[in-house]
Amino acid sequence: MADKKSKKQAGEEVLQGRNLWELLCKRAEHSPEQEMLVDDAGRRVTFGDFKERVETMAAGLVGMGLLPDDTVSWQLPTWVDSVALAAALNRIGVLQNPILPIYREKEVGFCTKQAGSKLLIVPKDFGGFDFEQMAKNVAVENGSGMEVLAVSPDEFPAGDISQVSQLSKGEANLPPEPDAPDDPSDLPVRWLLYTSGTTAEPKGALHTDGSIAAVSVGMSTRLGINKDDRSILAFPFTHVGGIVWLFSALQFGVCKLLSEAFNPETTLDFMAKEGVTVAGSGTAFHLAYLARQRQNPDQPLFPNLRCCTGGGAPKPPQLHYDVKKELGGVGVVSGWGLTEVPILTMGDVGDPDEKLAETEGRPLPNVDLRV
């Protein structure tokens, strides 16, 4: 069956790394010419290009004075350079704090103050909102000397990577590569992601490269991810799910399609043009896909679609059957989790319709649940 073939391909392609940087280097060596990122502005980046972009950006950030174990907060749209930034900060060895773009001064101020951020990176302007001014206001309010860096696409820090030597503050030289212990429990915390506080302030969830990597392998295996897949990242990359998909791209060789901000017209045109095979990522997205398909029911919107991933919102059982019948593929494959543990349960592309429609799947490997 097609589902079994997809899983076999995923197994053949999966790469492992003791940390993100080791994984990135392995993928760049294994598939340097393979496409990794495509955005809705026309940028295309291969795995080999990505490694070079990451190193150059890391050197530029070091040239600004960043040191290993500093804390850096960043609140950016889903850009190619946002993905590169996550890897560049990891290469330096900082604790990074991605912040959702919907957060404003109160939440950003709380997160950066509690995290002790040395630097806050924001877009100059996005969606008609002045993030740069907000960030400056936060820096003044925090009174901690936090610096602000406002960027636009393709205008991120860049440094000379011709000399990879001992760290020298003020010079664009990279520090030694981050430690890669054999025991995952020895990995340092590298990710601080805040989840909106329902009854109080936002809560910060801590992750290592190992904890994110384990979730990614479990999710990707259930979805049958393989090197021929083209998966849309329509939700903010700063969400923990975005970081999970970064690991998936490097582990399985999947190409990520990046939408700066979801638009039911332009984003769907982009997905169709790029031959999306895995379309996420929740009920609202699936309803938008169905609405567009119903405008022209005789012409498949996504002819290469394998599945639609789901999660983060209630899923009417009928939605799975509608997606399978009208859009194609196996239908909706849902997962359930939270920022602290991004995916606890996940459906499988080989599951029967009843399970896909009415459940959020089974626990991932090494997950124990108590009800």
Side-chain angles (χ1 to χ4, degrees), residues 64-351:
M64 293 176 57
L66 278 187
L67 299 167
D69 298 323
D70 281 339
T71 299
V72 177
S73 296
W74 53 279
Q75 185 183 34
L76 294 169
T78 305
W79 295 335
V80 164
D81 275 330
S82 303
V83 182
L85 175 68
L89 293 172
N90 188 278
R91 167 64 181 86
I92 297 170
V94 305
L95 172 62
Q96 59 179 301
N97 165 222
I99 298 176
L100 291 171
I102 60 171
Y103 281 8
R104 292 296 181 258
E105 194 165 321
K106 179 182 177 182
E107 295 87 359
V108 174
F110 175 86
C111 295
T112 54
K113 187 171 185 177
Q114 187 180 73
S117 300
K118 179 177 180 178
L119 175 66
L120 171 60
I121 305 174
V122 296
K124 291 180 178 178
D125 180 88
F126 177 67
F129 182 74
D130 191 342
F131 282 88
E132 182 174 10
Q133 187 58 55
M134 179 198 71
K136 290 178 179 177
N137 293 343
V138 167
V140 172
E141 182 68 24
N142 283 1
S144 59
M146 179 182 71
E147 297 181 17
V148 170
L149 173 63
V151 295
S152 298
D154 302 320
E155 293 182 358
F156 281 62
D160 181 9
I161 60 172
S162 60
Q163 294 183 1
V164 180
S165 61
Q166 293 297 313
L167 179 64
S168 177
K169 185 175 180 180
E171 298 178 7
N173 292 334
L174 290 173
E177 294 184 357
D179 291 336
D182 292 324
D183 187 345
S185 65
D186 292 332
L187 283 165
V189 172
R190 290 294 181 221
W191 307 90
L192 170 59
L193 298 114
Y194 281 87
T195 177
S196 296
T198 304
T199 58
E201 302 288 358
K203 317 279 193 307
L206 302 174
H207 282 285
T208 67
D209 288 354
S211 63
I212 300 291
V215 169
S216 173
V217 168
M219 173 197 75
S220 302
T221 302
R222 293 279 173 90
L223 293 173
I225 295 296
N226 65 83
K227 64 181 179 61
D228 296 322
D229 274 321
R230 299 174 76 78
S231 170
I232 181 67
L233 187 61
F235 59 85
F237 175 63
T238 50
H239 186 278
V240 67
I243 310 303
V244 171
W245 274 110
L246 166 60
F247 277 79
S248 177
L250 298 174
Q251 291 164 332
F252 291 81
V254 55
C255 176
K256 293 303 300 178
L257 307 177
L258 307 180
S259 175
E260 181 182 72
F262 183 78
N263 180 294
E265 293 297 327
T266 58
T267 301
L268 271 60
D269 290 340
F270 166 62
M271 294 167 62
K273 177 185 175 183
E274 291 297 331
V276 67
T277 64
V278 179
S281 302
T283 299
F285 297 95
H286 304 150
L287 291 174
Y289 304 154
L290 286 169
R292 171 66 78 84
Q293 181 63 73
R294 288 165 180 167
Q295 294 175 10
N296 190 1
D298 297 327
Q299 180 65 40
L301 177 62
F302 306 136
N304 299 320
L305 187 69
R306 287 201 306 106
C307 64
C308 284
T309 58
K315 176 192 66 179
Q318 185 60 38
L319 182 64
H320 161 74
Y321 295 103
D322 291 346
V323 166
K324 182 176 182 179
K325 178 181 178 181
E326 300 180 49
L327 292 173
V330 303
V332 178
V333 184
S334 295
W336 169 74
L338 58 163
T339 305
E340 292 85 343
V341 190
I343 301 177
L344 288 158
T345 70
M346 189 82 197
D348 188 288
V349 290
D351 284 342

